[in-house]
Amino acid sequence: MREMKEGSAGLHVSSLGDEIVGRINELAAISEAPAHLARVFLTKEHRAAADLILAWMRSAGMRAHLDAIGNVCGRYEGERPGLPCLMLGSHYDTVYDAGKWDGPLGLLTAISCVADLNRRGRRLPFAIEVTGFADEEGVRFASTLLGSRAVAGTFVESVLGTRDAAGVSMRDALVQFGLDPDHIGAAARARSELLAYVELHIEQGPVLEAKNLPVGVVTAIAGATRLAASLTGMAGHAGTVPMALRRDALAGAAECIGAIEAFCRTDEGGLVGTVGYIHAMPGATNVIPGQVSFTLDIRAPTDAHRKLAVTDIVRQIERIAKRRKLGLQVDVTHENRTVPCAPWLRRQVAEAIAGEGYPVFELPSGAGHDGMAMIDIADVAMVFVRCRGGISHHPDEHVEVADADAGARVLLRLIENFRTRDAAE
Ligand SMILES: [Zn+2]
């Protein structure tokens, strides 16, 4: 017979992981479609999610409000009011047919950490602020990081004119939501108010799982260059043009794609290159393709490395096009810089991970995050939490409760042992 401890049910205190996962599920129920998760900027689901998160912030002992762009902002004062803050955060918007962990895990973990400090009456020599960014994914207006850009003071006014798929401008959507598009500047924070910005996020990749580790230290958010390439040959009859006389743009593109993959595979510095889109013209079974366009996305942990790789890859594509007598046009369509995580903060993340008894493992982030905007007003660090199969932006996205709990304990230890840059260096 199993021995029952008297009153054990009443004494049971759930772990931080249990609380976080319970709230992840509650938040995931706020979706514009019942069958899949979708929660985008300035919708009634955005509002409902904000209200729920604000309530959780208040119950964690924070003052909380919605800012001028729709971010949720909570503040837990330090040993005395008005001290600069350690800012924690992540986003609470989603892609369409999303997983429920991307964004909310970092936000809800931060709130649970503050709640834990509050339960113990623990005040620190700095304030803690938790920010839930209203739009990171950029789903509705095809412009990313709107929430964190507003906080960093780098929100570009011209995006207010952008329209969603239904033709509603961002300006009108803000008004309908109850916000004033002419006062987004009020969301901006000053560098002097922030000691650092630290974000916990699911890895969205398979590396921690392969290493059998629940958490990792992010070294940098990889910059990206996107290119559009177009090869022009000569369309012709699939039956009558001899092989030696062909200028087949698709066969040329295939050789280019093979060369890009081979180039990136031999790189040992974390370079990744992806051809994710290809279009062949005229696109018929019995016609030699005369024109092919494809895209190329290249990322690396440093800007210098990425730029060198882009130069080398373009040179290879040029050589292939020349040998095959194909016309070539290559344009850069998008470029963003690498955001390095600050060494003084990385050390503290590593110490917190080691302090919880896990091996310290460092990895770059191939995906973009709010830190890319926050770097303009604060030094940035990130903690990654393992997710199953590395799957993200998909309903199969999954984090084990034990890993959510490990992430929370690491973040809490980091907060409680946090030293400012001056004290740390
Ligand atoms: Zn995210």
Side-chain angles (χ1 to χ4, degrees):
M1 200 176 116
R2 192 176 294 167
E3 196 184 331
M4 296 290 286
K5 273 189 204 142
E6 200 183 331
S8 63
L11 289 174
H12 178 73
V13 176
S14 65
S15 71
L16 291 176
D18 288 324
E19 177 176 76
I20 292 160
V21 173
R23 287 177 172 179
I24 288 272
N25 289 326
E26 228 179 302
L27 195 61
I30 303 175
S31 170
E32 67 184 59
H36 67 266
L37 176 56
R39 195 170 54 241
V40 303
F41 190 40
L42 303 176
T43 56
K44 68 178 199 300
E45 293 76 27
H46 172 183
R47 167 70 66 182
D51 288 344
L52 187 57
I53 297 163
L54 288 168
W56 286 332
M57 286 176 160
R58 288 177 187 127
S59 77
M62 285 184 266
R63 266 188 297 124
H65 71 283
L66 199 70
D67 78 2
I69 188 92
N71 298 323
V72 286
C73 307
R75 182 174 164 95
Y76 182 75
E77 293 292 350
E79 286 162 353
R80 55 179 198 277
L83 291 168
C85 74
L86 169 62
M87 188 180 279
L88 311 170
S90 196
H91 60 98
Y92 67 105
D93 67 320
T94 73
V95 295
Y96 285 118
D97 205 11
K100 58 193 174 188
W101 309 86
D102 171 8
L105 181 66
L107 175 57
L108 301 181
T109 298
I111 294 171
S112 286
C113 287
V114 173
D116 190 81
L117 295 173
N118 188 50
R119 274 193 292 274
R120 288 184 280 134
R122 179 97 203 262
R123 295 283 165 179
L124 298 162
F126 50 88
I128 301 169
E129 292 197 18
V130 179
T131 307
F133 297 108
D135 181 288
E136 188 266 355
E137 304 283 5
V139 166
R140 184 166 179 189
F141 294 103
S143 183
T144 61
L145 304 173
L146 295 170
S148 44
R149 287 210 170 107
V151 171
T154 55
F155 183 89
V156 183
E157 293 265 315
S158 61
V159 302
L160 289 170
T162 321
R163 291 178 187 278
D164 67 6
V168 180
S169 73
M170 194 189 302
R171 176 177 287 280
D172 290 343
L174 282 160
V175 172
Q176 282 160 24
F177 192 83
L179 296 168
D180 181 350
D182 295 321
H183 284 92
I184 286 172
R189 303 296 299 272
R191 178 173 281 275
S192 59
E193 297 176 289
L194 274 69
L195 299 169
Y197 173 73
V198 178
E199 177 166 350
L200 178 144
H201 200 283
I202 60 165
E203 182 201 339
Q204 303 181 280
V207 177
L208 290 174
E209 188 174 69
K211 294 277 175 191
N212 200 24
L213 295 172
V215 288
V217 188
V218 178
T219 53
I221 304 169
T225 303
R226 289 187 196 151
L227 304 162
S230 172
L231 288 164
T232 308
M234 180 62 77
H237 196 293
T240 61
V241 184
M243 296 308 287
L245 298 181
R246 294 186 180 197
R247 289 164 58 219
D248 183 329
L250 185 52
E255 191 180 342
C256 292
I257 294 166
I260 292 161
E261 189 193 31
F263 181 88
C264 295
R265 283 183 84 122
T266 55
D267 181 278
E268 283 171 358
L271 178 74
V272 288
T274 306
V275 174
Y277 170 88
I278 185 162
H279 180 69
M281 296 270 283
T285 309
N286 58 352
V287 183
I288 300 162
Q291 174 119 37
V292 171
S293 49
F294 65 91
T295 61
L296 176 55
D297 177 307
I298 298 174
R299 306 185 194 206
T302 70
D303 288 332
H305 188 177
R306 186 183 78 254
K307 284 177 179 162
L308 205 61
V310 168
T311 306
D312 285 352
I313 285 169
V314 169
R315 210 171 281 152
Q316 287 201 24
I317 294 173
E318 283 169 351
R319 266 202 296 273
I320 292 165
K322 193 171 174 205
R323 177 164 39 75
R324 288 173 166 270
K325 298 186 174 59
L326 299 170
L328 174 67
Q329 168 93 20
V330 181
D331 296 306
V332 174
T333 54
H334 166 95
E335 183 145 42
N336 62 265
R337 70 200 156 143
T338 294
V339 170
C341 293
W344 69 274
L345 286 168
R346 273 166 63 180
R347 274 196 296 277
Q348 296 191 39
V349 175
E351 283 167 17
I353 289 174
E356 287 299 325
Y358 302 113
V360 173
F361 177 74
E362 300 197 319
L363 72 169
S365 172
H369 294 289
D370 287 299
M372 295 164 79
M374 294 302 291
I375 191 87
D376 286 327
I377 52 162
D379 283 347
V380 169
M382 290 192 76
V383 184
F384 268 172
V385 174
R386 166 169 60 187
C387 60
R388 187 176 63 197
I391 296 166
S392 185
H393 284 188
H394 188 280
D396 287 348
E397 195 177 86
H398 180 74
V399 174
E400 296 297 333
V401 181
D403 289 356
D405 195 63
R409 283 185 285 108
V410 166
L411 190 64
L412 186 57
R413 185 178 283 268
L414 174 72
I415 295 166
E416 293 197 75
N417 294 292
F418 178 73
R419 299 177 305 284
T420 62
R421 182 176 189 155
D422 289 344
E425 286 183 338

